[in-house]
Amino acid sequence: MKQVIPKQKAQVFNNSIEYLHGKTQHWISEIEFIKIEQDFLKELLAEHIMGLCDTNNFTKAKLFLNGIHHEAILGETLIESIKEHQINLALLLENIFLKKEKLFRENHELLKIEFVNYIDNFKYIKQQVFELILRIMKKEKQHKLLLK
């Protein structure tokens, strides 16, 4: 797993609470879209299950499906953490918990790192699934041409 190190740690402390809240909303939107992509990848693998068996890539496909499932669980957990963070940011906007602002900003940076890692891991799985399915589709196409 790739770990992202924050480039400018001080930057989060210069951003407004409204800006941080907007970023968290964007993160949730991205994770929600990835859920749809995860479902698509599962369907794509299921659609080509016969090709997976024929090409001895069934084990890879199972690993990818397990990876997608694991990432889906992590996505749900991450959404919960982000929503909790949003509540804290909203309270900061209302001038509640002002003494904890530094802690919330540090938490925001940690959530940002988790979010970026989540996105990177999903992109890797997606790329691997696409490459596998592309190989299977090419093999299926060749097989159909041979039968003609």
Side-chain angles (χ1 to χ4, degrees):
M1 234 181 245
K2 181 180 172 184
Q3 184 171 2
V4 176
I5 299 170
K7 294 177 184 165
Q8 296 176 346
K9 189 168 185 142
Q11 183 180 6
V12 117
F13 290 94
N14 296 330
N15 291 327
S16 71
I17 301 301
E18 293 90 354
Y19 175 81
L20 298 179
H21 193 271
K23 290 302 284 184
T24 59
Q25 199 57 41
H26 171 75
W27 296 345
I28 289 173
S29 174
E30 285 289 316
I31 295 169
E32 292 291 341
F33 183 75
I34 285 175
K35 284 184 194 179
I36 296 167
E37 287 185 300
Q38 289 167 338
D39 288 341
F40 174 76
L41 291 177
K42 287 188 274 189
E43 288 297 320
L44 190 60
L45 287 166
E47 177 75 25
H48 293 280
I49 196 75
M50 292 305 289
L52 289 167
C53 293
D54 291 344
T55 59
N56 298 321
N57 288 316
F58 188 72
T59 305
K60 279 185 183 179
K62 278 178 52 176
L63 285 172
F64 295 147
L65 284 170
N66 287 338
I68 292 167
H69 177 71
H70 178 72
E71 288 295 309
I73 292 169
L74 287 176
E76 288 299 323
T77 304
L78 189 53
I79 284 176
E80 289 174 22
S81 296
I82 293 169
K83 285 182 177 181
E84 183 179 316
H85 180 60
Q86 283 183 317
I87 291 168
N88 290 329
L89 291 174
L91 291 172
L92 274 177
L93 283 171
E94 298 296 323
N95 295 323
I96 302 172
F97 289 140
L98 286 177
K99 291 180 181 178
K100 294 186 177 183
E101 182 175 352
K102 182 180 179 196
L103 177 67
F104 294 150
R105 287 179 179 274
E106 289 170 353
N107 186 45
H108 183 87
E109 191 63 26
L110 293 174
L111 284 171
K112 177 181 173 184
I113 291 167
E114 284 185 49
F115 172 74
V116 170
N117 285 338
Y118 177 78
I119 297 292
D120 287 346
N121 290 338
F122 177 71
K123 284 180 180 179
Y124 175 78
I125 291 171
K126 184 165 81 170
Q127 176 188 1
Q128 296 300 309
V129 169
F130 282 170
E131 288 174 0
L132 178 64
I133 297 299
L134 183 61
R135 283 195 305 271
I136 291 166
M137 290 172 75
K138 285 180 179 180
K139 195 165 214 138
E140 288 173 352
K141 186 177 179 181
Q142 288 173 349
H143 183 70
K144 286 179 185 176
L145 289 173
L146 290 174
L147 292 176
K148 285 186 178 185

